[in-house]
């Protein structure tokens, strides 16, 4: 894959049309699915190319890197939407709340406490997703499947948070469909509306299972820097 601005624009158009087709085949509307362009470890030129192509919703894994990518660009694009899709340390909660419109990786009470404290001190309140560890992987963040409902309830009632959606990252090397189905079921049971699921390799599958946002990095931008 090359990475001239026009290549990124045409890959974006292709992803959007694949996503629209998957949505239609599932009896859904194309604009019910948001493309989140995952710009972690991508060079500036590619990010600028995506912006030029009209992309406005971006996902980042790390607070500091996101600040480097977006602190200045944000001023030029008032309609930008930034989403944190990597795990968040509690000591960066206030910084994350300042920068991100959406935090997709709420997964523990200590982080909820740190966010609550930041909001009470005047930080803007991002939209919040709960990350679920659907594959019960030791190395992966996220709430356990069996604890999801209770965790969402606690976020709502103890912390006063609105929970917009659930997010998952299926285990590498396993079919993703069952994980997407599981997340959709958990969301329905907990009365949560949105589903962040699906990446470059499986976003069409995720849309069939109800994804409302797909997180696509390499298929859009090309391979990441080491
Ligand atoms: C890096 C990353 C992505 C994008 O992965 P690609 O396979 O490059 O599309 C999506 N979601 C999360 C949480 C990520 O960390």
């Amino acid at each position: 894959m090359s990475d001239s601005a026009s290549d990124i624009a045409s890959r974006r158009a292709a992803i959007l049309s694949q996503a629209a087709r998957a949505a239609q085949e599932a009896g859904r509307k194309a604009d019910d699915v948001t493309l989140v362009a995952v710009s972690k470890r991508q060079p500036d030129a590619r990010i600028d190319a995506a912006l030029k192509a009209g992309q406005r919703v971006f996902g980042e894994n790390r607070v500091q890197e996101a600040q480097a990518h977006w602190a200045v660009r944000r001023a030029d694009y008032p309609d930008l939407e930034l989403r944190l899709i990597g795990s968040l340390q509690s000591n960066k909660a206030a910084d994350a709340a300042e920068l991100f419109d959406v935090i997709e990786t709420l997964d523990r009470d200590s982080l909820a406490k740190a966010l609550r404290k930041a909001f009470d001190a005047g930080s803007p309140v991002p939209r919040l997703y709960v990350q679920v560890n659907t594959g019960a992987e030791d190395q992966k963040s996220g709430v356990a499947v069996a604890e999801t409902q209770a965790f969402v309830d606690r976020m709502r009632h103890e912390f006063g948070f609105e929970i917009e959606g659930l997010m998952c990252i299926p285990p590498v090397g396993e079919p993703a469909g069952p994980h997407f189905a599981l997340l959709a079921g958990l969301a329905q049971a907990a009365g949560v509306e949105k589903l962040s699921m699906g990446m470059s390799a499986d976003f069409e599958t995720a849309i069939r299972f109800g994804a409302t946002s797909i997180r696509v990095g390499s298929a859009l931008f090309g391979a990441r820097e080491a």
Side-chain angles (χ1 to χ4, degrees):
M1 280 199 283
S2 73
D3 66 347
S4 77
S6 69
D7 292 326
I8 287 176
S10 61
R11 287 201 294 266
R12 177 174 181 270
I15 291 164
L16 287 174
S17 82
Q18 282 171 267
R21 194 175 326 118
Q24 274 150 13
E25 282 167 7
R28 307 180 56 209
K29 281 186 277 177
D31 60 6
D32 287 346
V33 182
T34 300
L35 171 62
V36 179
V38 178
S39 47
K40 68 181 186 202
R41 295 185 355 245
Q42 292 291 351
D44 286 331
R46 293 184 188 173
I47 294 174
D48 289 329
L51 285 163
K52 199 172 153 226
Q55 182 64 31
R56 288 296 179 272
V57 185
F58 291 85
E60 289 278 354
N61 261 33
R62 303 183 57 217
V63 175
Q64 265 179 316
E65 187 191 357
Q67 285 167 333
H69 278 164
W70 297 105
V72 173
R73 286 186 178 90
R74 172 135 245 184
D76 296 329
Y77 295 93
D79 54 344
L80 197 69
E81 178 178 302
L82 296 181
R83 296 180 170 221
L84 180 65
I85 61 170
S87 57
L88 176 58
Q89 292 172 272
S90 297
N91 64 5
K92 302 228 173 80
D95 289 340
E98 289 295 332
L99 183 66
F100 290 100
D101 303 286
V102 182
I103 292 175
E104 297 201 358
T105 51
L106 179 56
D107 66 348
R108 57 196 194 279
D109 287 63
S110 57
L111 176 59
K113 254 178 225 153
L115 286 167
R116 183 73 264 165
K117 196 171 154 205
F119 303 157
D120 290 343
S123 290
V125 180
R127 290 143 52 202
L128 298 173
Y129 285 54
V130 169
Q131 181 176 355
V132 182
N133 188 358
T134 58
E137 295 173 279
D138 287 339
Q139 78 284 10
K140 211 163 260 170
S141 316
V143 176
V145 168
E147 281 157 26
T148 302
Q149 172 87 59
F151 184 81
V152 169
D153 286 344
R154 205 157 62 244
M155 293 303 106
R156 287 170 168 156
H157 302 122
E158 270 180 41
F159 292 92
F161 295 165
E162 267 179 52
I163 301 300
E164 178 172 297
L166 300 183
M167 177 270 216
C168 76
I169 311 169
V172 174
E174 270 184 40
H179 294 273
F180 298 151
L182 178 57
L183 196 73
L186 289 169
Q188 194 172 29
V192 169
E193 201 189 337
K194 303 270 171 110
L195 291 167
S196 169
M197 55 191 199
M199 319 201 302
S200 289
D202 52 25
F203 66 86
E204 289 163 288
T205 306
I207 290 168
R208 287 188 199 104
F209 283 100
T212 55
S213 59
I214 53 174
R215 310 179 307 265
V216 179
S218 44
L220 173 64
F221 289 109
R224 285 181 279 277
E225 293 171 333

